[in-house]
Amino acid sequence: TSTGPHDFNPTEQDARLVSRAELFLVNGLGLDESKAELMKRGSGNANLKIIQLGDRIPKDKLCEGFCNDANHG
């Protein structure tokens, strides 16, 4: 795809899905939290739990931009 997380614009169908969801999994790491919060507020689903998966990656395993780790197995 030629779009990234900053290009995502939720549709009405996306809002309907979020309104019925219990969990909303997002990358986090500064990529999509604001869109997730907007979708949560717009959905009217106050019980929706947003999980930022990037928070679960050890900091020493994160890199910015293109990363090449020859030891990735």
Side-chain angles (χ1 to χ4, degrees), residues 3 14 18 21 29 41 48 56:
T3 61
D14 295 325
V18 171
L29 303 173
R41 277 183 270 156
L48 179 67
R56 285 145 172 77

Side-chain angles (χ1 to χ4, degrees), residues 8-54:
F8 173 69
N9 289 310
T11 64
E12 288 182 31
Q13 181 180 0
D14 295 325
R16 282 192 299 275
L17 290 171
V18 171
S19 72
R20 297 187 311 251
E22 294 178 20
L23 295 175
F24 189 1
L25 305 177
V26 299
N27 292 313
L29 303 173
L31 296 172
D32 49 13
E33 301 93 85
S34 61
K35 296 274 180 145
E37 288 295 335
L38 284 172
M39 288 180 68
K40 178 178 179 175
R41 277 183 270 156
S43 74
N45 184 351
N47 295 320
L48 179 67
K49 182 164 175 79
I50 297 173
I51 307 292
Q52 295 184 31
L53 299 174

